[in-house]
Amino acid sequence: MLISRQPWMDQSLCRNENLEIFFPNRYTENNVAKPFSVCKNCPVKVQCLQYSYATDSIGIWGGTTEYQRNVILVNYFKKNRKKLTLSDARQIIDN
């Protein structure tokens, strides 16, 4: 997967991590613990999540796996019947 560098990425907490941990072959408790802990307090978690939706990214983005992002989208659309906005993404992450 080719990642298009974004300005907000310079503020991410993962910028100094081995990025391979965010792209595990399988999602197990052991494989996601470290990336989830990095994402938990990241100041650009919302932008990261939005980027993952915009680019249909695989791996852990904004503290979520692909499966979790799909569940969020399905539930969001069922409830709101509209596209996910940056403001909506912030509310989802904060909850």
Coordinates of all heavy atoms in Angstrom, one line a residue:
M1 N 0.8 -1.2 0.0 CA 0.0 0.0 0.0 C 0.9 1.2 0.0 O 1.8 1.3 0.8 CB -0.9 0.0 1.2 CG -1.8 1.2 1.3 SD -2.9 1.1 2.7 CE -2.2 2.5 3.7
L2 N 0.6 2.2 -0.9 CA 1.3 3.4 -0.9 C 0.6 4.5 -0.1 O -0.6 4.7 -0.3 CB 1.4 3.9 -2.4 CG 2.2 5.1 -2.7 CD1 3.7 4.9 -2.2 CD2 2.2 5.4 -4.1
I3 N 1.3 5.0 0.8 CA 0.7 6.1 1.7 C 1.2 7.4 1.2 O 2.3 7.7 1.1 CB 1.2 5.8 3.2 CG1 0.7 4.5 3.7 CG2 0.7 7.0 4.1 CD1 1.3 4.1 5.0
S4 N 0.2 8.3 0.9 CA 0.4 9.6 0.5 C 0.7 10.5 1.8 O -0.1 10.6 2.6 CB -0.8 10.1 -0.2 OG -0.6 11.5 -0.5
R5 N 1.9 11.0 1.8 CA 2.3 11.8 3.0 C 1.4 13.0 3.2 O 1.2 13.8 2.2 CB 3.8 12.2 2.8 CG 4.4 12.8 4.0 CD 5.0 11.6 4.8 NE 5.5 12.2 6.1 CZ 5.2 11.8 7.3 NH1 4.4 10.7 7.4 NH2 5.7 12.3 8.3
Q6 N 0.9 13.2 4.4 CA 0.1 14.3 4.7 C 0.7 15.2 5.8 O 1.5 14.7 6.6 CB -1.3 13.8 5.3 CG -2.0 12.9 4.3 CD -2.5 13.5 3.1 OE1 -3.1 14.6 3.1 NE2 -2.1 12.9 1.9
P7 N 0.5 16.5 5.8 CA 1.1 17.4 6.7 C 0.9 17.0 8.2 O 1.8 17.1 9.0 CB 0.6 18.8 6.4 CG 0.1 18.7 5.0 CD -0.3 17.3 4.8
W8 N -0.3 16.6 8.5 CA -0.7 16.2 9.9 C 0.1 15.0 10.4 O 0.3 14.8 11.6 CB -2.2 15.9 10.0 CG -2.7 14.9 9.1 CD1 -3.4 15.1 7.9 CD2 -2.7 13.5 9.3 NE1 -3.7 13.9 7.4 CE2 -3.3 12.9 8.2 CE3 -2.2 12.6 10.3 CZ2 -3.5 11.5 8.1 CZ3 -2.4 11.3 10.2 CH2 -3.0 10.7 9.1
M9 N 0.7 14.2 9.5 CA 1.4 13.0 9.9 C 2.7 13.4 10.6 O 3.2 12.5 11.4 CB 1.8 12.2 8.6 CG 0.6 11.5 8.0 SD 1.0 10.5 6.6 CE -0.5 9.8 6.2
D10 N 3.2 14.6 10.5 CA 4.4 15.0 11.2 C 4.1 15.2 12.7 O 5.0 15.2 13.5 CB 4.9 16.3 10.6 CG 5.5 16.2 9.3 OD1 5.9 15.0 8.9 OD2 5.5 17.1 8.5
Q11 N 2.8 15.3 13.1 CA 2.4 15.4 14.5 C 2.0 14.1 15.1 O 1.7 14.0 16.3 CB 1.2 16.4 14.6 CG 1.6 17.8 14.0 CD 0.3 18.6 13.9 OE1 -0.6 18.5 14.8 NE2 0.2 19.4 12.8
S12 N 2.0 13.0 14.3 CA 1.5 11.8 14.8 C 2.5 11.1 15.8 O 3.7 11.3 15.7 CB 1.2 10.8 13.6 OG 2.5 10.4 13.0
L13 N 1.9 10.4 16.7 CA 2.8 9.7 17.7 C 3.5 8.5 17.1 O 4.5 8.0 17.6 CB 2.0 9.3 18.9 CG 1.4 10.4 19.8 CD1 0.6 9.9 21.0 CD2 2.5 11.4 20.2
C14 N 2.9 8.0 16.0 CA 3.5 6.8 15.4 C 4.7 7.1 14.5 O 5.4 6.2 14.0 CB 2.4 6.0 14.6 SG 1.8 6.9 13.2
R15 N 5.0 8.4 14.2 CA 6.0 8.8 13.3 C 7.4 8.2 13.6 O 8.2 8.0 12.8 CB 6.1 10.3 13.1 CG 6.6 11.0 14.3 CD 6.5 12.6 14.1 NE 7.0 13.2 15.3 CZ 6.2 13.5 16.4 NH1 5.0 13.0 16.4 NH2 6.7 14.1 17.4
N16 N 7.6 7.9 14.9 CA 8.9 7.4 15.3 C 8.8 5.9 15.7 O 9.8 5.3 16.2 CB 9.4 8.1 16.6 CG 9.7 9.6 16.2 OD1 10.2 9.9 15.2 ND2 9.3 10.5 17.1
E17 N 7.7 5.3 15.3 CA 7.5 3.8 15.6 C 7.9 3.0 14.4 O 7.9 3.6 13.2 CB 6.1 3.5 16.0 CG 5.6 4.2 17.3 CD 6.2 3.6 18.5 OE1 6.5 2.4 18.5 OE2 6.2 4.3 19.5
N18 N 8.1 1.8 14.5 CA 8.2 0.8 13.4 C 6.8 0.7 12.8 O 5.9 0.1 13.5 CB 8.8 -0.5 13.9 CG 8.8 -1.5 12.8 OD1 8.3 -1.3 11.7 ND2 9.4 -2.6 13.1
L19 N 6.6 1.2 11.7 CA 5.2 1.2 11.1 C 4.6 -0.1 10.8 O 3.4 -0.3 10.6 CB 5.2 2.1 9.9 CG 5.4 3.6 10.2 CD1 5.3 4.5 8.9 CD2 4.5 4.2 11.3
E20 N 5.5 -1.1 10.8 CA 5.0 -2.5 10.5 C 4.0 -3.0 11.6 O 3.2 -3.8 11.3 CB 6.2 -3.5 10.4 CG 7.0 -3.3 9.1 CD 8.1 -4.3 9.0 OE1 8.2 -5.3 9.8 OE2 9.0 -4.1 8.1
I21 N 4.2 -2.4 12.8 CA 3.2 -2.9 13.8 C 1.8 -2.5 13.5 O 0.9 -3.0 14.1 CB 3.7 -2.4 15.2 CG1 3.5 -0.9 15.3 CG2 5.0 -2.9 15.6 CD1 3.7 -0.3 16.8
F22 N 1.6 -1.5 12.6 CA 0.3 -1.0 12.3 C -0.3 -1.8 11.1 O -1.5 -1.5 10.8 CB 0.3 0.5 12.0 CG 0.7 1.3 13.2 CD1 2.0 1.6 13.4 CD2 -0.3 1.8 14.0 CE1 2.4 2.4 14.5 CE2 0.1 2.5 15.2 CZ 1.4 2.8 15.4
F23 N 0.4 -2.7 10.6 CA 0.0 -3.5 9.5 C 0.2 -5.0 9.7 O 0.9 -5.7 9.0 CB 0.6 -3.1 8.2 CG 0.4 -1.6 7.9 CD1 1.4 -0.7 8.3 CD2 -0.7 -1.2 7.3 CE1 1.2 0.7 8.0 CE2 -0.9 0.1 7.0 CZ 0.0 1.1 7.4
P24 N -0.4 -5.5 10.8 CA -0.1 -6.9 11.1 C -0.8 -7.9 10.1 O -1.8 -7.5 9.5 CB -0.8 -7.1 12.5 CG -1.9 -6.1 12.6 CD -1.3 -4.9 11.7
N25 N -0.3 -9.1 10.0 CA -0.9 -10.1 9.1 C -2.2 -10.5 9.7 O -3.1 -10.8 8.9 CB 0.0 -11.3 8.9 CG 1.2 -10.9 8.1 OD1 1.2 -10.0 7.2 ND2 2.4 -11.5 8.3
R26 N -2.3 -10.6 11.0 CA -3.5 -11.0 11.7 C -3.7 -10.1 12.8 O -2.8 -9.7 13.5 CB -3.4 -12.5 12.2 CG -3.3 -13.5 11.1 CD -3.2 -14.9 11.6 NE -4.1 -15.2 12.8 CZ -3.7 -15.9 13.9 NH1 -2.5 -16.4 13.9 NH2 -4.4 -16.0 14.9
Y27 N -5.0 -9.9 13.1 CA -5.3 -9.0 14.3 C -5.5 -9.9 15.5 O -6.5 -10.6 15.6 CB -6.5 -8.2 14.1 CG -6.3 -7.1 13.0 CD1 -6.9 -7.2 11.8 CD2 -5.4 -6.1 13.2 CE1 -6.7 -6.3 10.8 CE2 -5.2 -5.1 12.3 CZ -5.9 -5.2 11.1 OH -5.6 -4.3 10.1
T28 N -4.5 -10.0 16.4 CA -4.7 -10.7 17.7 C -4.5 -9.6 18.8 O -4.0 -8.5 18.5 CB -3.6 -11.8 17.8 OG1 -2.3 -11.2 17.8 CG2 -3.7 -12.8 16.6
E29 N -4.8 -10.0 20.0 CA -4.6 -9.1 21.1 C -3.2 -8.6 21.2 O -2.9 -7.5 21.5 CB -5.1 -9.8 22.4 CG -5.9 -8.9 23.3 CD -6.4 -9.7 24.5 OE1 -7.3 -10.5 24.3 OE2 -6.0 -9.4 25.6
N30 N -2.3 -9.6 21.0 CA -0.8 -9.2 21.1 C -0.4 -8.3 20.0 O 0.4 -7.4 20.2 CB 0.0 -10.5 21.1 CG -0.1 -11.3 22.3 OD1 -0.4 -10.7 23.4 ND2 0.2 -12.5 22.2
N31 N -1.0 -8.5 18.8 CA -0.6 -7.6 17.6 C -1.1 -6.2 17.7 O -0.5 -5.3 17.1 CB -1.0 -8.3 16.3 CG -0.2 -9.5 16.0 OD1 0.8 -9.8 16.6 ND2 -0.7 -10.3 15.0
V32 N -2.2 -6.0 18.3 CA -2.9 -4.7 18.3 C -2.6 -3.9 19.6 O -2.8 -2.7 19.6 CB -4.4 -4.8 18.0 CG1 -4.7 -5.4 16.7 CG2 -5.1 -5.5 19.1
A33 N -2.1 -4.5 20.6 CA -1.9 -3.8 21.9 C -1.0 -2.6 21.7 O -1.3 -1.5 22.2 CB -1.3 -4.7 22.9
K34 N 0.2 -2.7 21.1 CA 1.1 -1.6 21.0 C 0.6 -0.5 20.1 O 0.6 0.6 20.5 CB 2.5 -2.2 20.4 CG 3.5 -1.1 20.1 CD 4.0 -0.4 21.3 CE 5.1 0.6 20.9 NZ 5.6 1.4 21.9
P35 N 0.1 -0.9 18.8 CA -0.4 0.2 18.0 C -1.6 1.0 18.6 O -1.7 2.2 18.6 CB -0.8 -0.4 16.7 CG -0.6 -1.9 16.8 CD 0.1 -2.1 18.1
F36 N -2.5 0.2 19.3 CA -3.6 0.9 20.0 C -3.2 1.8 21.1 O -3.7 2.9 21.2 CB -4.6 -0.2 20.5 CG -5.5 -0.8 19.5 CD1 -5.5 -0.5 18.2 CD2 -6.5 -1.7 19.9 CE1 -6.3 -1.1 17.3 CE2 -7.3 -2.3 19.0 CZ -7.3 -2.0 17.7
S37 N -2.1 1.4 21.8 CA -1.6 2.3 22.9 C -1.0 3.5 22.3 O -1.1 4.6 22.9 CB -0.7 1.5 23.8 OG 0.5 1.3 23.1
V38 N -0.4 3.4 21.1 CA 0.2 4.6 20.5 C -0.9 5.5 20.0 O -0.8 6.8 20.2 CB 1.1 4.2 19.3 CG1 1.6 5.4 18.5 CG2 2.3 3.4 19.8
C39 N -1.9 5.0 19.4 CA -3.0 5.8 18.9 C -3.9 6.5 19.9 O -4.4 7.5 19.7 CB -3.9 4.9 18.0 SG -3.2 4.2 16.5
K40 N -3.9 5.8 21.1 CA -4.9 6.3 22.1 C -4.8 7.8 22.4 O -5.8 8.4 22.5 CB -4.6 5.5 23.4 CG -5.6 5.8 24.5 CD -5.4 4.9 25.7 CE -6.5 5.3 26.7 NZ -6.4 4.4 27.9
N41 N -3.6 8.3 22.6 CA -3.4 9.7 22.9 C -2.8 10.5 21.8 O -2.4 11.6 22.0 CB -2.5 9.8 24.1 CG -3.1 9.2 25.4 OD1 -4.3 9.4 25.7 ND2 -2.4 8.3 26.0
C42 N -2.9 10.0 20.6 CA -2.4 10.8 19.4 C -3.2 12.0 19.1 O -4.4 12.0 19.0 CB -2.3 9.8 18.2 SG -1.5 10.6 16.8
P43 N -2.5 13.2 18.9 CA -3.2 14.4 18.7 C -3.9 14.5 17.3 O -4.7 15.4 17.1 CB -2.1 15.5 18.8 CG -0.8 14.8 18.5 CD -1.0 13.4 19.0
V44 N -3.5 13.6 16.4 CA -4.0 13.6 15.0 C -4.8 12.4 14.7 O -5.0 12.0 13.6 CB -3.0 13.9 14.0 CG1 -2.4 15.3 14.1 CG2 -1.9 12.8 14.0
K45 N -5.4 11.7 15.8 CA -6.1 10.5 15.6 C -7.3 10.7 14.7 O -7.6 9.8 13.9 CB -6.5 10.0 17.0 CG -7.2 8.6 16.9 CD -7.3 7.9 18.2 CE -7.9 8.7 19.3 NZ -8.2 7.9 20.5
V46 N -8.0 11.8 14.8 CA -9.2 12.1 14.0 C -8.8 12.2 12.5 O -9.4 11.6 11.6 CB -9.9 13.4 14.4 CG1 -11.0 13.8 13.4 CG2 -10.5 13.1 15.8
Q47 N -7.7 13.0 12.2 CA -7.3 13.1 10.8 C -6.8 11.8 10.3 O -7.0 11.5 9.1 CB -6.1 14.1 10.7 CG -6.5 15.5 11.0 CD -6.5 15.9 12.5 OE1 -6.5 15.1 13.4 NE2 -6.3 17.2 12.8
C48 N -6.2 10.9 11.1 CA -5.7 9.6 10.7 C -6.9 8.7 10.3 O -6.9 8.1 9.3 CB -4.9 9.0 11.8 SG -4.2 7.4 11.5
L49 N -8.0 8.8 11.2 CA -9.2 8.0 10.9 C -9.8 8.5 9.6 O -10.2 7.7 8.7 CB -10.1 8.1 12.1 CG -11.4 7.3 11.9 CD1 -11.2 5.8 11.8 CD2 -12.4 7.6 13.1
Q50 N -9.9 9.8 9.4 CA -10.5 10.3 8.2 C -9.7 9.9 7.0 O -10.3 9.6 6.0 CB -10.6 11.8 8.3 CG -11.4 12.4 7.2 CD -11.5 13.9 7.2 OE1 -10.5 14.6 7.6 NE2 -12.6 14.5 6.9
Y51 N -8.4 10.0 7.1 CA -7.6 9.5 6.0 C -7.8 8.1 5.6 O -7.9 7.7 4.4 CB -6.1 9.7 6.4 CG -5.1 9.3 5.3 CD1 -4.8 10.2 4.3 CD2 -4.5 8.0 5.4 CE1 -3.8 9.7 3.3 CE2 -3.6 7.6 4.4 CZ -3.3 8.5 3.4 OH -2.4 8.1 2.4
S52 N -8.0 7.2 6.6 CA -8.2 5.8 6.4 C -9.5 5.6 5.6 O -9.6 4.8 4.7 CB -8.2 5.0 7.7 OG -9.4 5.3 8.4
Y53 N -10.5 6.4 6.0 CA -11.8 6.3 5.2 C -11.7 6.8 3.8 O -12.2 6.2 2.9 CB -12.9 7.1 6.0 CG -13.5 6.3 7.1 CD1 -13.5 6.9 8.4 CD2 -14.1 5.1 7.0 CE1 -14.0 6.2 9.5 CE2 -14.6 4.4 8.0 CZ -14.6 4.9 9.3 OH -15.1 4.3 10.4
A54 N -11.0 7.9 3.7 CA -10.8 8.6 2.3 C -10.0 7.7 1.4 O -10.2 7.7 0.2 CB -10.2 9.9 2.5
T55 N -9.1 6.9 1.9 CA -8.2 6.1 1.1 C -8.5 4.6 1.1 O -7.8 3.8 0.5 CB -6.7 6.4 1.5 OG1 -6.6 6.0 2.8 CG2 -6.3 7.8 1.3
D56 N -9.5 4.3 1.9 CA -9.9 2.8 2.0 C -8.7 2.0 2.5 O -8.3 1.0 1.9 CB -10.5 2.3 0.8 CG -11.3 1.0 1.0 OD1 -11.8 0.8 2.1 OD2 -11.4 0.2 0.1
S57 N -8.0 2.5 3.5 CA -6.7 2.0 3.9 C -6.9 0.7 4.7 O -7.9 0.5 5.4 CB -6.0 3.0 4.8 OG -5.6 4.1 4.1
I58 N -5.9 -0.2 4.6 CA -5.8 -1.4 5.4 C -4.9 -1.0 6.6 O -4.2 0.0 6.6 CB -5.2 -2.6 4.7 CG1 -3.8 -2.3 4.2 CG2 -6.2 -3.0 3.5 CD1 -3.1 -3.5 3.6
G59 N -4.9 -1.9 7.6 CA -4.1 -1.7 8.8 C -4.8 -0.9 9.9 O -6.0 -0.6 9.8
I60 N -4.0 -0.5 10.9 CA -4.6 0.3 12.0 C -4.4 1.7 11.8 O -3.2 2.2 11.6 CB -3.9 -0.2 13.3 CG1 -4.2 -1.7 13.6 CG2 -4.3 0.7 14.5 CD1 -3.5 -2.3 14.7
W61 N -5.4 2.5 11.7 CA -5.4 3.9 11.5 C -6.4 4.5 12.5 O -7.5 4.1 12.7 CB -5.9 4.3 10.1 CG -5.0 3.8 9.0 CD1 -4.9 2.6 8.4 CD2 -4.0 4.6 8.4 NE1 -4.0 2.6 7.5 CE2 -3.4 3.8 7.4 CE3 -3.6 5.9 8.5 CZ2 -2.3 4.3 6.6 CZ3 -2.6 6.4 7.7 CH2 -2.0 5.6 6.8
G62 N -6.0 5.6 13.2 CA -6.8 6.3 14.1 C -7.3 5.3 15.3 O -8.4 5.5 15.8
G63 N -6.5 4.4 15.6 CA -6.8 3.4 16.6 C -7.8 2.4 16.3 O -8.5 1.8 17.2
T64 N -8.1 2.2 15.0 CA -9.1 1.2 14.5 C -8.5 0.3 13.5 O -7.6 0.6 12.7 CB -10.3 1.9 13.9 OG1 -9.9 2.7 12.8 CG2 -11.0 2.9 14.9
T65 N -9.1 -0.9 13.4 CA -8.8 -1.9 12.4 C -9.8 -1.7 11.2 O -10.8 -0.9 11.4 CB -8.9 -3.3 12.9 OG1 -10.3 -3.6 13.2 CG2 -8.0 -3.6 14.1
E66 N -9.5 -2.3 10.1 CA -10.5 -2.2 9.0 C -11.9 -2.6 9.4 O -12.9 -2.0 9.1 CB -10.1 -3.1 7.8 CG -8.8 -2.8 7.2 CD -7.7 -3.7 7.6 OE1 -7.3 -3.6 8.8 OE2 -7.3 -4.6 6.8
Y67 N -12.0 -3.7 10.2 CA -13.2 -4.3 10.6 C -14.0 -3.2 11.5 O -15.1 -3.0 11.3 CB -13.1 -5.6 11.4 CG -14.4 -6.1 11.9 CD1 -15.3 -6.7 11.1 CD2 -14.7 -5.9 13.3 CE1 -16.5 -7.2 11.7 CE2 -15.9 -6.3 13.8 CZ -16.8 -7.0 13.0 OH -18.0 -7.4 13.5
Q68 N -13.2 -2.6 12.4 CA -13.8 -1.7 13.3 C -14.3 -0.4 12.5 O -15.4 0.1 12.8 CB -12.8 -1.2 14.4 CG -12.5 -2.3 15.4 CD -11.3 -2.0 16.3 OE1 -10.3 -1.4 15.8 NE2 -11.4 -2.4 17.5
R69 N -13.5 0.0 11.6 CA -14.0 1.1 10.7 C -15.2 0.8 10.0 O -16.1 1.7 9.8 CB -12.8 1.6 9.8 CG -11.7 2.2 10.6 CD -10.7 2.9 9.6 NE -10.0 2.0 8.7 CZ -8.9 1.3 9.1 NH1 -8.4 1.4 10.3 NH2 -8.3 0.5 8.2
N70 N -15.3 -0.4 9.4 CA -16.5 -0.8 8.7 C -17.8 -0.8 9.6 O -18.8 -0.4 9.2 CB -16.3 -2.1 8.0 CG -15.4 -2.1 6.8 OD1 -15.3 -1.0 6.2 ND2 -14.8 -3.2 6.5
V71 N -17.6 -1.3 10.8 CA -18.7 -1.3 11.8 C -19.1 0.1 12.1 O -20.3 0.4 12.2 CB -18.3 -2.1 13.1 CG1 -19.3 -1.9 14.2 CG2 -18.1 -3.6 12.8
I72 N -18.1 1.0 12.3 CA -18.4 2.4 12.6 C -19.2 3.0 11.5 O -20.3 3.7 11.7 CB -17.1 3.2 12.8 CG1 -16.5 2.8 14.2 CG2 -17.4 4.7 12.8 CD1 -15.1 3.4 14.4
L73 N -18.8 2.8 10.2 CA -19.5 3.3 9.1 C -20.9 2.8 9.0 O -21.9 3.6 8.7 CB -18.7 3.0 7.8 CG -17.7 4.0 7.3 CD1 -17.1 3.6 6.0 CD2 -18.2 5.4 7.3
V74 N -21.1 1.5 9.1 CA -22.4 0.9 9.0 C -23.3 1.5 10.0 O -24.5 1.9 9.7 CB -22.3 -0.6 9.1 CG1 -23.7 -1.2 9.3 CG2 -21.7 -1.2 7.8
N75 N -22.9 1.5 11.3 CA -23.7 2.1 12.3 C -24.0 3.5 12.1 O -25.1 4.0 12.4 CB -23.1 1.8 13.7 CG -23.1 0.4 14.1 OD1 -23.9 -0.4 13.6 ND2 -22.1 0.0 14.9
Y76 N -23.0 4.3 11.7 CA -23.2 5.7 11.4 C -24.2 6.0 10.3 O -25.1 6.8 10.5 CB -21.8 6.3 11.0 CG -22.0 7.8 10.8 CD1 -21.9 8.7 11.9 CD2 -22.2 8.4 9.6 CE1 -22.0 10.1 11.7 CE2 -22.3 9.7 9.4 CZ -22.3 10.6 10.5 OH -22.4 11.9 10.3
F77 N -24.1 5.2 9.2 CA -25.1 5.4 8.1 C -26.5 5.0 8.5 O -27.4 5.7 8.2 CB -24.6 4.7 6.9 CG -23.5 5.4 6.1 CD1 -22.3 4.7 5.9 CD2 -23.7 6.7 5.7 CE1 -21.3 5.4 5.2 CE2 -22.7 7.3 5.0 CZ -21.5 6.7 4.8
K78 N -26.6 3.9 9.3 CA -27.9 3.5 9.8 C -28.6 4.6 10.6 O -29.8 4.8 10.5 CB -27.8 2.2 10.6 CG -27.6 1.0 9.8 CD -27.6 -0.2 10.7 CE -27.4 -1.5 10.0 NZ -27.3 -2.7 10.9
K79 N -27.8 5.2 11.4 CA -28.3 6.2 12.3 C -28.5 7.6 11.7 O -29.5 8.3 11.9 CB -27.4 6.4 13.5 CG -27.8 7.4 14.6 CD -26.8 7.4 15.7 CE -27.3 8.5 16.7 NZ -26.3 8.6 17.8
N80 N -27.6 8.0 10.8 CA -27.6 9.4 10.3 C -28.0 9.6 8.9 O -28.3 10.7 8.4 CB -26.2 10.0 10.6 CG -25.9 10.1 12.0 OD1 -26.5 10.8 12.8 ND2 -24.9 9.2 12.5
R81 N -27.8 8.5 8.1 CA -28.1 8.6 6.6 C -27.4 9.7 5.9 O -27.9 10.4 5.1 CB -29.6 8.7 6.4 CG -30.4 7.7 7.0 CD -30.4 6.4 6.2 NE -31.3 5.4 6.8 CZ -31.1 4.2 6.8 NH1 -30.0 3.7 6.3 NH2 -32.0 3.4 7.4
K82 N -26.1 9.9 6.3 CA -25.3 10.9 5.6 C -23.8 10.5 5.7 O -23.5 9.7 6.4 CB -25.5 12.3 6.2 CG -25.0 12.4 7.7 CD -25.1 13.9 8.2 CE -24.5 14.0 9.5 NZ -24.3 15.3 10.0
K83 N -23.0 11.2 4.9 CA -21.6 11.0 4.9 C -20.9 11.4 6.2 O -21.4 12.3 6.9 CB -20.9 11.8 3.7 CG -21.0 11.1 2.4 CD -20.2 11.9 1.4 CE -20.0 11.1 0.1 NZ -19.1 11.8 -0.8
L84 N -19.9 10.7 6.5 CA -19.1 11.0 7.7 C -18.3 12.2 7.5 O -17.5 12.4 6.5 CB -18.1 9.8 8.0 CG -17.4 9.8 9.3 CD1 -18.3 9.6 10.5 CD2 -16.3 8.7 9.3
T85 N -18.4 13.2 8.4 CA -17.7 14.5 8.3 C -16.6 14.4 9.3 O -16.5 13.6 10.2 CB -18.6 15.7 8.6 OG1 -19.0 15.6 9.9 CG2 -19.8 15.7 7.6
L86 N -15.6 15.4 9.2 CA -14.5 15.5 10.2 C -15.1 15.7 11.6 O -14.7 15.1 12.6 CB -13.6 16.6 9.8 CG -12.4 16.8 10.7 CD1 -11.5 15.5 10.7 CD2 -11.5 18.0 10.2
S87 N -16.1 16.5 11.7 CA -16.7 16.7 13.0 C -17.4 15.5 13.6 O -17.2 15.1 14.8 CB -17.8 17.8 12.9 OG -18.6 17.9 14.1
D88 N -18.0 14.7 12.7 CA -18.6 13.4 13.1 C -17.5 12.5 13.6 O -17.7 11.7 14.6 CB -19.4 12.8 12.0 CG -20.6 13.6 11.6 OD1 -21.2 14.3 12.4 OD2 -20.9 13.6 10.4
A89 N -16.4 12.4 12.8 CA -15.3 11.5 13.2 C -14.7 11.9 14.6 O -14.4 11.0 15.3 CB -14.2 11.6 12.1
R90 N -14.6 13.1 14.9 CA -14.2 13.6 16.2 C -15.1 13.0 17.3 O -14.6 12.5 18.3 CB -14.1 15.1 16.3 CG -12.9 15.7 15.6 CD -12.7 17.1 16.0 NE -11.5 17.6 15.4 CZ -11.4 18.3 14.3 NH1 -12.5 18.7 13.7 NH2 -10.3 18.7 13.8
Q91 N -16.4 13.1 17.1 CA -17.3 12.7 18.1 C -17.2 11.1 18.2 O -17.3 10.6 19.4 CB -18.8 13.0 17.7 CG -19.0 14.5 17.8 CD -20.4 14.9 17.4 OE1 -21.1 14.1 16.8 NE2 -20.8 16.1 17.7
I92 N -17.1 10.4 17.2 CA -17.0 9.0 17.2 C -15.7 8.6 18.0 O -15.8 7.7 18.9 CB -16.9 8.4 15.8 CG1 -18.3 8.5 15.1 CG2 -16.5 6.9 15.8 CD1 -18.3 8.2 13.7
I93 N -14.6 9.2 17.7 CA -13.4 8.9 18.4 C -13.4 9.2 19.9 O -12.9 8.5 20.7 CB -12.2 9.6 17.7 CG1 -11.9 8.8 16.4 CG2 -10.9 9.6 18.6 CD1 -10.8 9.4 15.6
D94 N -14.1 10.3 20.2 CA -14.1 10.8 21.6 C -15.0 9.9 22.4 O -15.0 9.9 23.6 CB -14.6 12.2 21.7 CG -13.6 13.2 21.2 OD1 -12.4 12.8 21.1 OD2 -13.9 14.3 20.8
N95 N -15.9 9.1 21.8 CA -16.8 8.2 22.5 C -16.3 6.9 22.7 O -15.4 6.4 22.5 CB -18.2 8.2 21.8 CG -18.9 9.5 21.9 OD1 -18.7 10.3 22.8 ND2 -19.7 9.8 20.9

